[in-house]
Amino acid sequence: MQKDSKDPKELPLRERKKLRTRQALVDTALELFTARDFTAVTLDEIVEAVEVSKRTFFRTFASKEDLALAPEKELWAAYLKLVENRALTGEHLFGAYKDALFAALEQMTDGWERSFRVSRTLADRTPALTAHSLRFCSETSANVVRIVADRLAGQSSGQLSGQSPGHTELRLLLDLMLAAWHRALETWIDSDAVQQDRAALTRHVHKAFAAIPAVAALAAQDS
């Protein structure tokens, strides 16, 4: 069940069919990629297995890479929307970054974490997917910084509240959050299979974030 404000059951039939087709493509592709190899599986095999046309595929995904990384892209698409809509202040930006991430995790559909784990494992062992994921991460980070900078600039001009953080500060703060996120992912993926549910992922993320003050203190010692 979707955990955001829009229950899929409330969507029009056409939209529900699109969501089912999209999920079938993701599930089937990840199964094929895992059983064989990302480069060995053709697009023809995927659409044939799901019984859809290539035209339908390209209305949903831009490429095989886009399909393989769909769970990751779903998470960060939700994250961007949350950043756009949540309250932001220059003094509590890191908290806003973190809160948006936890909210995005909560919004993912049931079973999302299983697909996400498979997708991340594939990306770690497939150079083409690693490169695609890194490029996507860079583009998403740039979008987050742009959104936050524009919002803070608008608030400052309206409230005359002083200078907002610059793009460099906003990006470094986001990169700090992402470093903790990636460390949590590594620990989660390497953990025992019974500890790889979403609750465990959330716990690992909390633990990684909790280590940040000590890391900041180490950095301050060298300043």
Side-chain angles (χ1 to χ4, degrees), residues 15-26:
E15 294 302 315
R16 296 202 303 272
K17 286 183 176 180
K18 286 182 180 180
L19 286 175
R20 286 197 294 269
T21 299
R22 187 183 195 282
Q23 193 59 52
L25 284 166
V26 172

Side-chain angles (χ1 to χ4, degrees), residues 28-214:
T28 300
L30 290 178
E31 183 178 347
L32 290 171
F33 295 153
T34 301
R36 294 161 59 191
D37 182 78
F38 174 78
T39 57
V41 178
T42 66
L43 180 56
D44 285 332
E45 290 178 276
I46 297 169
V47 297
E48 183 178 348
V50 182
E51 298 183 336
V52 298
S53 66
K54 281 188 177 179
R55 182 178 179 181
T56 296
F57 175 88
F58 284 115
R59 282 201 298 260
T60 311
F61 297 101
S63 63
K64 270 176 54 181
E65 289 83 2
D66 190 35
L67 173 61
L69 296 176
E72 177 178 344
K73 294 192 173 189
E74 289 168 13
L75 176 67
W76 295 107
Y79 183 84
L80 278 174
K81 288 182 180 179
L82 286 160
V83 169
E84 285 181 316
N85 296 312
R86 296 175 80 85
L88 292 176
T89 64
E91 295 79 15
H92 302 289
L93 275 179
F94 194 68
Y97 282 159
K98 292 193 301 181
D99 291 346
L101 178 56
F102 287 119
L105 284 170
E106 180 66 22
Q107 284 187 8
M108 295 298 98
T109 54
D110 290 340
W112 166 86
E113 62 277 7
R114 292 189 293 274
S115 296
F116 179 61
R117 188 174 67 249
V118 173
S119 176
R120 287 310 314 161
T121 302
L122 282 168
D124 289 342
R125 76 185 193 203
T126 309
L129 291 179
T130 300
H132 192 87
S133 179
L134 288 171
R135 183 167 62 251
F136 171 72
C137 181
S138 178
E139 292 170 353
T140 301
S141 295
N143 284 333
V144 171
V145 170
R146 175 185 53 79
I147 290 168
V148 173
D150 289 348
R151 290 189 59 196
L152 291 177
Q155 291 173 11
S156 295
S157 62
Q159 300 172 3
L160 301 176
S161 57
Q163 188 175 8
S164 296
H167 280 238
T168 298
E169 290 82 2
L170 292 175
R171 181 59 184 262
L172 287 173
L173 197 62
L174 180 63
D175 285 347
L176 182 59
M177 187 206 79
L178 290 174
W181 161 251
H182 287 299
R183 178 55 188 152
L185 280 188
E186 291 172 359
T187 307
W188 179 62
I189 290 173
D190 290 342
S191 63
D192 187 271
V194 297
Q195 295 296 323
Q196 289 182 339
D197 58 10
R198 197 180 317 186
L201 173 58
T202 301
R203 287 196 299 272
H204 285 303
V205 177
H206 276 293
K207 185 175 180 180
F209 284 154
I212 288 176

